[in-house]
Amino acid sequence: MNHPTEIPTRRDLGADLPAVTEDQRHIGVAIPREGVRRLTQGRGQFVDDIELPRLAHVVFWRSPVAHMRITRIERSAAQALPGVIAVVVGAEIAAICKPWVATLAHLAGIKSAPQYPMALERATWQGEPVIAIVAETRAVAEDALGLLEVEWESLPAVLDTETALDPATPLIHPELGDNLCFTRSLDTGGVDEAFARPDAVAFEETYVFGRHTGVTLEPRCQIADWNPGDQKLTVYHSFQAPHMMQDLYCRQFELQESQVRVVCRDVGGSFGIKVHAYPDDFATVALAMLLQRPVKFVADRLESFVSDIHAREHRIRARIAATKAGEILAFEIDDLTGIGPFSMFPRTSGIEGNQVVNLTGGPYKHKAYRAKLKVVFQNKVPTCQYRGVGHPIACAVTEALVDGIAAKIGMDPIAIREANVIPDDAYPATGASGIKLEILSHEACLREAKRVCDYDALRAEQSQLRKQNVYRGIGVATLIELTNPSAAFYGVGGARIASQDGATLRLEPTGVLTVMSSVGEQGQGAEAIFAQIAADAVGVGIDRVRVVTGDTDATPYGGGTWASRGAGIGGEAVLQAGLVLRENILATAEAILQRERSGLKLHRGAVVDARTNERLLDLAELGRIAYFRSDTLPKTFTPELMVTRHYAQRDYPFIFTNGVQVSHVEVDVDTGFVKLLKHWAVEDCGRVINPMLVDEQMRGAIVQGIGGALFEECLYSEDGTLRNGNMADYLVPMAGEMPDIVVSHVQSPTRSSQLGAKGAGEAGTAGAPGAVMNAINDALAPFGARVSSQPITPEKILRALGKI
Amino acid sequence: MNTPTDSPKRRVRVEVNGTPIVREVECRKHLIDFLREDCGMKGSHLGCEHGVCGACTVRLDGQIVRGCLVLAAQADGHRVDTVETSTPSKRLKALQDAFVEHNALQCGYCTPGMLMAALELVEQKPDADRTQVREWMSGNYCRCTGYHAIVDAVCAVLEQQRAGRFADEPVASADEVRA
């Protein structure tokens, strides 16, 4: 693709934005990811594909009940099975791995209990690892599970968030004094006054969100390989933040960074599921150290459902006040959320509720806001950050309230949003919750949303069809998404989670560019956009760029993938390293050609005459001379053809993005079934690096949001065991029931970086549940019925309609 | 309980991607584990191990099956094709190209199974429209894309086929495959 005409230009975004590089050819262009061709040929390398000499396999005997005291473990029969290498209990692991407590200093008052890799005398959720069996094959290890004899005494389980703090409710961790993990309240003042205004109208509703989980298609997995010869631990891990795990393994096992290497090659889906440190991660490493041989852990699907984090179990009482003329005056929420028996390490499970408090009402101009949050412990699977972290909840609550009040005062849903969003010329701005908003584009996105879905035509069709007893609904959701986090997210709270990322760019002797980034690839296309940015920054064709990620031994230190930071933070590091490398290349050319630097330019893979574009020196020739013929260069000059730069966003706690989604549904009022007809998303992620990747990233996120809105829920029985912990019973969206999704872009580049990119990973998930719920309620409006509990099942719709 | 020491074994001969492979396998072993562990064919993945997600979809005598619901012993004497074939048919190659071109994969874990399912669709339902493509592909989970690009990619190959691009490469009719 050296020749410009060979670069696909099906879609080119950003032509109206100032270019970030001298000869920008790749940034903003929908270039297919050639790097994924190997995945279409089955040539990926996922963790379970890796075989090592003397590789052993571990399975965990996990607590079958929600809460129990272990009274006896008899392991001799399991141990005696041919092929079994070891049967190990929690205390033996705890002897070499320290426990952890997942709290953050800036979440005032948050508490949790010390957690061990495997339960010691008590297990506190169904799925907590208790005993590890290591065998020559996974099949033998599973056989041995059946030979274990474990006796336990069931303990009362704390399941209901509403009663978790009652004095009569047993304590999960008596040493904590209560079952409260974290609480927060926020009050700007003026809320009661707003609701009491004579011209005010109020709307109030309670929203319930079912627990769901990520269901990454590749389960969590790792291989831990302790080499006693060089005292070095290598962990092949399906993970989003390799340096974070390197640091945690160092600290829990008292090792140095130089002793630990974490390698993340192909990762089969992550979504936040693979950014937390799980007990079985540490147990697997401990087993490798104890047994002095590599140990592979691959969760099977049934384990995934009870050991991957869950998320989003919230019950929120909420209300909104607006004037009769449609000016939003105040929001108030009371959020109660359950997180399982421990705050999850190291990000804490308090963050999700904290985000709900930060984000509710976020797009709007109102100044009065009151929020209460209670995060309580339960004997259920631990919850933590999953794609969107709090955003889908805050957005669904906010947008349902806005629709509710609009209906009450007889205003069109888009009109009330247009009248109340923070105007596009009002930034930087501060939201009522205190969030700092740099540059947003709600008005432009609403205009674009109305245009792409042909809103007026949809409304006309809706009223026409109602006469034929066809009930369609149009749901709108305006959203904000926090991306590009600074150290204010975790670092200030004492978590050793890097807010900066780094990129190393190396010009090879052949003129090929190697990019090493601390941000890895889990499918979203990070490697592809880094190649695009590097190519433009240096001035070469993208086919001359290769990208290396996911190896703490090879890449610069950095935070990895979370909170939609790959493009905005990692991409800026690539840009900065590339711009310096370009200068270094030109300095080398100056030395080789003995020509003034000011007369030289790097253009399309060669050093050229800045005035005439005459090719003077190909990069392969420059590389050959720089690396192999230093004798021909001036003695005072050393070529520096490898450059590392880091970037951390410091201007704001986060760089917020925004967008609008519109959902079009049809509700069958006899069966309660919802048919998704179409979905539109307008998103503003700042400068778009590759529109094709952003589009499908948005669509994937929207479909995950739709999953939460309509299908997905971790259902528990009364005794605290998961009732639907398998793929047959836990419903996720499939191709057949998903709509076509139209994505449109508005670009407001962040000024906090030269690249101007903001995150794009989570806005889809943030907006979809609100848009879909509003669409369903719009369809049900002629019956005076509303739903406010997700997932919105046919049964809930029929109940709302009074039919069952 | 069957254990490796007393679990009955059977000698199976399977043609995998055109290469005859003979192995002694436990009767309880599933085809997908046989392919991955005994044949070194790591391209097809395990997603759920209970026949729901479709990640392990491979072809057995030309018809797609769930690798986690078929025993290796059942494949004895039969032909298995996975995405790793070194001689993809024109239709498979076109699907692979279309998946790249349309960004119809993100992490790529579901992709091998997705391609096998799509290949059978292209061969057996040449007139499928967008809705039918969505329905057909509903046996395969994808958690990364929103399916939209996958549907685009499959529809693009169907169009190429209708334009005669694969005319010189006939496929067995559905009846023949099922017989």
Side-chain angles (χ1 to χ4, degrees):
Chain A
M1 266 185 253
N2 270 334
H3 198 271
T5 56
E6 291 171 20
I7 295 172
T9 51
R10 290 182 311 182
R11 294 190 47 211
D12 186 349
L13 275 178
D16 49 338
L17 298 176
V20 285
T21 68
E22 206 174 281
D23 180 23
Q24 192 168 304
R25 295 190 294 153
H26 304 90
I27 294 171
V29 181
I31 300 172
R33 297 185 293 155
E34 279 300 318
V36 299
R37 191 169 289 281
R38 65 193 174 82
L39 297 172
T40 69
Q41 298 171 352
R43 308 293 170 129
Q45 193 173 46
F46 297 91
V47 168
D48 195 32
D49 302 339
I50 300 171
E51 310 259 6
L52 296 175
R54 303 179 72 244
L55 183 63
H57 300 258
V58 61
V59 300
F60 293 97
W61 189 87
R62 297 173 183 277
S63 174
V65 296
H67 196 185
M68 68 169 183
R69 178 171 293 111
I70 304 149
T71 52
R72 191 176 76 93
I73 294 172
E74 177 54 58
R75 43 182 157 168
S76 54
Q79 183 79 68
L81 187 70
V84 169
I85 296 161
V87 182
V88 180
V89 298
E92 290 155 349
I93 299 285
I96 64 164
C97 180
K98 291 189 287 192
W100 56 87
V101 178
T103 55
L104 286 170
H106 65 308
L107 299 183
I110 187 170
K111 57 185 196 269
S112 189
Q115 189 177 6
Y116 291 84
M118 298 201 302
L120 300 180
E121 75 281 2
R122 253 188 336 133
T124 51
W125 83 88
Q126 180 214 5
E128 183 169 2
V130 178
I131 304 164
I133 298 183
V134 184
E136 299 289 348
T137 68
R138 166 95 193 188
V140 172
E142 286 187 18
D143 287 341
L145 278 181
L147 300 175
L148 284 172
E149 289 173 41
V150 186
E151 289 174 10
W152 71 82
E153 172 196 343
S154 281
L155 298 173
V158 179
L159 304 169
D160 186 353
T161 55
E162 297 276 353
T163 57
L165 300 176
D166 291 356
T169 301
L171 299 183
I172 297 176
H173 304 290
E175 68 273 26
L176 298 181
D178 55 28
N179 290 324
L180 182 67
C181 168
F182 178 58
T183 182
R184 181 181 167 196
S185 60
L186 187 157
D187 191 350
T188 60
V191 172
D192 291 331
E193 293 80 348
F195 279 91
R197 267 170 63 156
D199 62 341
V201 183
F203 177 78
E204 186 171 342
E205 207 163 41
T206 294
Y207 301 93
V208 178
F209 298 87
R211 269 182 173 237
H212 45 273
T213 182
V215 198
T216 58
L217 203 47
E218 178 207 38
R220 285 190 302 109
C221 47
Q222 65 176 155
I223 298 171
D225 183 10
W226 171 253
N227 184 332
D230 58 9
Q231 295 283 297
K232 188 158 177 177
L233 173 72
T234 303
V235 183
Y236 301 89
H237 210 161
S238 181
F239 208 77
Q240 297 169 235
H243 286 99
M244 184 194 94
M245 287 313 293
Q246 179 197 33
D247 181 74
L248 294 183
Y249 291 139
C250 286
R251 287 196 292 153
Q252 303 315 119
F253 291 96
E254 295 189 336
L255 301 168
Q256 298 299 314
E257 279 92 343
S258 56
Q259 289 178 277
V260 179
R261 176 186 179 199
V262 176
V263 182
C264 303
R265 290 184 182 155
D266 289 315
V267 174
S270 51
F271 321 121
I273 297 299
K274 296 174 182 172
V275 78
H276 309 292
Y278 289 83
D280 39 43
D281 293 338
F282 295 106
T284 304
V285 168
L287 291 165
M289 295 176 84
L290 288 170
L291 300 170
Q292 312 232 336
R293 61 189 288 176
V295 176
K296 180 189 276 187
F297 167 63
V298 181
D300 74 20
R301 187 53 60 185
L302 304 181
E303 285 184 285
S304 296
F305 275 102
V306 293
S307 66
D308 288 2
I309 56 128
H310 293 181
R312 315 218 213 283
E313 180 179 352
H314 291 256
R315 181 185 182 84
I316 301 184
R317 294 182 182 86
R319 60 177 186 152
I320 184 173
T323 66
K324 289 179 183 123
E327 182 196 349
I328 295 174
L329 301 170
F331 285 92
E332 177 167 17
I333 62 163
D334 186 349
D335 180 5
L336 177 65
T337 175
I339 58 152
F342 294 99
S343 170
M344 194 75 190
F345 194 44
R347 287 161 196 263
T348 85
S349 307
I351 288 278
E352 183 177 84
N354 197 55
Q355 296 295 33
V356 173
V357 171
N358 284 337
L359 299 169
T360 299
Y364 300 103
K365 285 185 285 193
H366 66 100
K367 289 288 167 228
Y369 178 44
R370 187 158 59 206
K372 271 191 271 178
L373 167 69
K374 279 202 183 85
V375 180
V376 299
F377 293 115
Q378 309 158 291
N379 293 111
K380 290 183 180 178
V381 175
T383 74
C384 205
Q385 288 96 317
Y386 165 56
R387 196 174 200 171
V389 198
H391 291 64
I393 292 144
C395 178
V397 168
T398 303
E399 296 301 286
L401 290 174
V402 169
D403 266 21
I405 200 79
K408 217 162 171 180
I409 59 180
M411 228 175 142
D412 173 81
I414 289 197
I416 193 169
R417 288 175 174 85
E418 285 172 331
N420 284 283
V421 289
I422 300 173
D424 294 357
D425 61 3
Y427 298 96
T430 302
S433 69
I435 50 175
K436 309 277 187 233
L437 307 163
E438 187 210 15
I439 304 169
L440 299 179
S441 57
H442 292 304
E443 292 174 310
C445 287
L446 282 166
R447 274 196 303 275
E448 176 66 2
K450 260 169 97 167
R451 187 189 71 79
V452 291
C453 76
D454 200 351
Y455 185 69
D456 295 337
L458 280 185
R459 285 285 175 211
E461 179 200 61
Q462 178 187 41
S463 59
Q464 196 59 37
L465 286 172
R466 270 186 194 170
K467 292 175 199 153
Q468 300 161 35
N469 297 325
V470 174
Y471 297 96
R472 291 192 170 177
I474 304 151
V476 182
T478 300
L479 65 100
I480 54 172
E481 178 200 359
L482 66 84
T483 73
N484 296 8
S486 74
F489 206 55
Y490 291 115
V492 296
R496 293 161 67 91
I497 295 169
S499 56
Q500 58 78 42
D501 273 287
T504 297
L505 266 61
R506 180 173 71 211
L507 185 74
E508 308 292 355
T510 50
V512 166
L513 202 57
T514 301
V515 178
M516 287 156 275
S517 168
S518 55
V519 175
E521 175 66 62
Q522 293 91 44
Q524 62 276 70
E527 291 184 353
I529 64 159
F530 294 161
Q532 288 177 256
I533 296 164
D536 280 356
V538 176
V540 300
I542 195 169
D543 63 328
R544 307 288 283 167
V545 184
R546 79 180 181 112
V547 182
V548 176
T549 63
D551 186 343
T552 58
D553 265 9
T555 64
Y557 204 96
T561 312
W562 46 273
S564 290
R565 59 195 299 288
I569 308 288
E572 177 71 6
V574 172
L575 176 69
Q576 294 304 331
L579 293 172
V580 177
L581 178 60
R582 178 192 187 90
E583 287 309 312
N584 291 1
I585 290 170
L586 288 169
T588 307
E590 187 178 32
I592 293 171
L593 297 169
Q594 300 290 309
R595 284 170 66 140
E596 284 290 315
R597 157 72 185 88
S598 58
L600 300 175
K601 208 165 72 167
L602 217 169
H603 187 70
R604 316 226 159 159
V607 177
V608 300
D609 184 301
R611 202 167 39 82
T612 64
N613 269 1
E614 180 200 350
R615 286 171 80 92
L616 303 173
L617 188 61
D618 190 79
L619 286 187
E621 177 62 4
L622 181 141
R624 184 189 70 81
I625 297 169
Y627 287 113
F628 308 130
R629 292 304 308 271
S630 45
D631 58 311
T632 65
L633 296 175
K635 272 195 172 167
T636 52
F637 179 78
T638 303
E640 295 290 352
L641 299 181
M642 180 151 158
V643 171
T644 300
R645 284 294 179 274
H646 288 84
Y647 173 69
Q649 189 277 115
R650 294 174 210 207
D651 293 351
Y652 292 84
F654 329 96
I655 300 298
F656 274 92
T657 67
N658 67 287
V660 172
Q661 290 186 30
V662 181
S663 171
H664 191 209
V665 307
E666 186 172 304
V667 179
D668 183 327
V669 294
D670 293 320
T671 64
F673 274 81
V674 175
K675 183 173 171 55
L676 297 161
L677 301 171
K678 201 156 183 173
H679 201 98
W680 296 266
V682 183
E683 69 86 41
D684 183 348
C685 65
R687 184 182 295 277
V688 173
I689 313 296
N690 184 327
M692 179 167 70
L693 303 189
V694 178
D695 284 1
E696 204 58 16
Q697 177 86 342
M698 283 295 295
R699 292 186 180 120
I702 286 166
V703 165
Q704 281 193 354
I706 290 173
L710 295 181
F711 308 110
E712 299 186 40
E713 184 171 17
C714 301
L715 296 164
Y716 281 83
S717 62
E718 283 180 6
D719 62 4
T721 52
L722 196 58
R723 285 201 281 128
N724 61 340
N726 63 74
M727 273 194 177
D729 294 331
Y730 181 96
L731 302 181
V732 305
M734 303 299 290
E737 59 240 357
M738 286 302 103
D740 278 344
I741 299 168
V742 177
V743 183
S744 188
H745 305 270
V746 169
Q747 297 190 81
S748 309
T750 170
R751 292 182 188 133
S752 61
S753 71
Q754 189 170 339
L755 186 61
K758 309 176 191 175
E762 300 165 272
T765 307
V772 170
M773 184 160 75
N774 281 351
I776 291 170
N777 283 329
D778 186 44
L780 296 176
F783 302 92
R786 281 181 66 84
V787 286
S788 60
S789 166
Q790 297 190 5
I792 305 165
T793 58
E795 182 189 341
K796 288 176 186 172
I797 289 173
L798 292 177
R799 282 190 196 287
L801 287 165
K803 297 201 171 179
I804 55 170
Chain B
M1 174 191 304
N2 287 331
T3 68
T5 47
D6 59 13
S7 173
K9 290 189 178 179
R10 177 169 169 177
R11 190 179 174 82
V12 300
R13 181 191 166 88
V14 184
E15 189 185 303
V16 179
N17 294 328
T19 304
I21 291 180
V22 182
R23 295 281 187 278
E24 193 84 9
V25 298
E26 287 177 56
C27 291
R28 66 179 185 172
K29 189 163 212 165
H30 285 107
L31 178 59
I32 185 66
D33 291 331
F34 171 75
L35 288 170
R36 291 180 55 81
E37 296 170 6
D38 300 71
C39 305
M41 292 287 171
K42 306 281 191 184
S44 308
H45 301 134
L46 273 168
C48 69
E49 297 178 84
H50 48 262
V52 185
C53 78
C56 64
T57 303
V58 296
R59 304 187 98 188
L60 183 61
D61 290 341
Q63 190 179 354
I64 55 169
V65 294
R66 303 286 209 224
C68 70
L69 296 183
V70 174
L71 296 170
Q74 289 176 282
D76 185 24
H78 296 273
R79 191 181 90 232
V80 174
D81 291 294
T82 77
V83 78
E84 287 147 302
T85 174
S86 54
T87 53
S89 68
K90 287 186 176 176
R91 288 176 182 81
L92 178 57
K93 177 72 169 58
L95 282 164
Q96 289 169 325
D97 290 345
F99 268 54
V100 174
E101 176 68 19
H102 291 267
N103 194 39
L105 67 154
Q106 286 184 15
C107 77
Y109 196 80
C110 73
T111 307
M114 203 60 91
L115 285 165
M116 287 292 114
L119 179 59
E120 186 167 279
L121 166 72
V122 171
E123 290 180 354
Q124 305 301 339
K125 305 264 179 200
D127 299 320
D129 63 17
R130 195 170 176 87
T131 305
Q132 290 166 321
V133 170
R134 279 196 177 275
E135 280 168 14
W136 180 281
M137 298 306 294
S138 282
N140 292 67
Y141 279 61
C142 173
R143 286 295 273 175
C144 298
T145 73
Y147 297 111
H148 188 116
I150 293 171
V151 177
D152 285 349
V154 176
C155 287
V157 174
L158 283 166
E159 268 177 43
Q160 290 168 18
Q161 178 166 262
R162 289 193 281 262
R165 182 168 158 198
F166 318 123
D168 58 336
E169 198 175 72
V171 292
S173 73
D175 291 344
E176 283 176 76
V177 169
R178 275 159 184 73

